[in-house]
Amino acid sequence: NAGVMQNPRHLVRRRGQEARLRCSPMKGHSHVYWYRQLPEEGLKFMVYLQKENIIDESGMPKERFSAEFPKEGPSILRIQQVVRGDSAAYFCASSSISRNTEAFFGQGTRLTVV
Amino acid sequence: DQQVKQNSPSLSVQEGRISILNCDYTNSMFDYFLWYKKYPAEGPTFLISISSIKDKNEDGRFTVFLNKSAKHLSLHIVPSQPGDSAVYFCAASGNTGNQFYFGTGTSLTVIP
């Protein structure tokens, strides 16, 4: 679990600002997943990426949200023009290329929009 | 479209007794199932998994049972300990890709 690094742990943004959440997967992992947990709710899938490719973004809101996983560097979840409803815990997970292996989660980034 | 469902939001169990957490899924293409445990303000931690070729997997106090015909899996914790108090998520993945689908979680409280 400690191998997936997310930063920052806490992020406060004013309405209308941009939020950038970073995720460095575990060494050797090429699959990254972003999940959002709203207060009092479960984990909601947002997007699944492999290096330089978005595989499934069916859980991403159509506007203001984007994600990338470049060849070099961490995966980035970007939220433009944040609104109060974006306040949530955002978790990143990574897994290896092998099938039927577990995904390991980071500690999450808690975004608060004021 | 919730493909993995945990219908019990919460469960309370006396210390030393068995905790049984349930999970149902709808997609028959799922072939790998996992349980995660989550404490407040932390990321989910992998607990135990099971492949669809098995119907049971045991790891210490934790056992996962899979009933493919019913599309149902359960996590048994015995004996339950106060430190087991957490939110438990079940998850599934299928042979169409590596995406993991999560349930909404069950909050377990083990009473000393």
Side-chain angles (χ1 to χ4, degrees), chain A:
Chain A
N1 190 17
V4 178
M5 303 301 293
Q6 287 189 251
N7 67 81
R9 286 294 307 276
H10 301 275
L11 181 62
V12 179
R13 284 287 177 266
R14 295 186 187 279
R15 279 180 295 171
Q17 290 185 318
E18 179 179 284
R20 281 189 167 215
L21 289 65
R22 292 175 181 77
C23 170
S24 296
M26 281 184 71
K27 189 175 181 180
H29 284 187
S30 57
H31 299 242
V32 166
Y33 314 81
W34 285 94
Y35 291 86
R36 175 165 66 174
Q37 186 177 27
L38 294 166
E40 308 301 321
E41 293 190 13
L43 294 166
K44 300 283 188 183
F45 167 77
M46 299 184 74
V47 62
Y48 162 38
L49 311 103
Q50 295 178 19
K51 284 281 187 183
E52 300 184 280
N53 283 308
I54 296 175
I55 306 302
D56 183 346
E57 56 181 348
S58 58
M60 287 269 274
K62 293 289 184 279
E63 297 176 350
R64 301 187 299 108
F65 285 73
S66 63
E68 62 177 14
F69 188 17
K71 187 176 180 181
E72 301 292 336
S75 175
I76 306 287
L77 178 67
R78 184 182 293 111
I79 311 172
Q80 295 177 304
Q81 300 172 347
V82 296
V83 301
R84 287 249 170 89
D86 297 332
S87 296
Y90 291 81
F91 293 99
C92 165
S94 73
S95 70
S96 72
I97 197 169
S98 303
R99 285 217 60 247
N100 290 354
T101 60
E102 60 270 28
F104 293 87
F105 280 82
Q107 296 276 58
T109 293
R110 187 161 299 277
L111 172 66
T112 303
V113 179
V114 297

Side-chain angles (χ1 to χ4, degrees), chain B residues 58-78:
Chain B
E58 191 172 351
D59 183 1
R61 297 185 296 115
F62 303 91
T63 304
V64 56
F65 295 91
L66 176 62
N67 182 334
K68 289 186 288 294
S69 60
K71 294 192 180 69
H72 177 85
L73 66 155
S74 61
L75 175 68
H76 293 213
I77 307 173
V78 57

Side-chain angles (χ1 to χ4, degrees), chain B residues 86-100:
Chain B
V87 177
Y88 289 79
F89 292 96
C90 71
S93 67
N95 57 12
T96 55
N98 279 51
Q99 191 197 127
F100 295 86

